[in-house]
């Protein structure tokens, strides 16, 4: 009976050792998988950041292009307004000079 108990205890200890070895192997494999996946995630994250930076740069470039276009349009419109008021001023000067010279048409004619 004592030999059977000793054999049972030895068997239980060997099962614990095998179980520990299996768990250790499984944990090592999990750790390697986690490391590999972490490296993949790092690569994906940096690729995302690079893509995001490219998108932001293109949006910024488009915005600057729009601002330049808007600035050019405002400058063009202001130029037209300035030319219109300049022509009005010239017409007023001519009309005033004609009036001073007495060449202005009178209201009854």
């Amino acid at each position: 009976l004592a030999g059977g108990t000793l054999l049972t205890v030895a068997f239980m200890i060997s099962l614990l050792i095998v179980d520990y070895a299996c768990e250790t192997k499984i944990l090592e494999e999990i750790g390697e998988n986690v490391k590999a996946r972490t490296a993949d995630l790092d690569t994906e994250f940096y690729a995302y950041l690079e893509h995001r930076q490219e998108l932001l740069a293109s949006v910024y470039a488009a915005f600057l292009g729009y601002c330049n276009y808007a600035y050019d349009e405002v400058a063009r419109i202001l130029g037209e307004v300035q030319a219109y008021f300049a022509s009005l001023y010239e017409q007023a000067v001519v009309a005033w000079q004609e009036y001073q010279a007495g060449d202005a048409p009178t209201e009854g004619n």
Side-chain angles (χ1 to χ4, degrees), residues 15-83:
L15 282 179
L16 289 174
I17 291 172
V18 168
D19 184 52
Y20 175 76
C22 287
E23 280 188 31
T24 303
K25 182 66 176 164
I26 290 170
L27 290 176
E28 285 175 3
E29 288 178 8
I30 290 173
E32 291 301 318
N33 289 340
V34 167
K35 285 180 188 176
R37 185 63 186 137
T38 301
D40 290 345
L41 288 175
D42 285 346
T43 303
E44 290 174 15
F45 180 70
Y46 287 118
Y48 161 77
L49 288 181
E50 185 176 320
H51 182 65
R52 181 177 172 264
Q53 188 173 1
E54 290 171 0
L55 285 176
L56 287 176
S58 66
V59 167
Y60 182 68
F63 178 73
L64 285 181
Y66 175 75
C67 287
N68 286 336
Y69 170 77
Y71 176 80
D72 291 344
E73 281 298 302
V74 167
R76 183 187 63 78
I77 291 169
L78 288 177
E80 290 177 5
V81 169
Q82 182 181 9

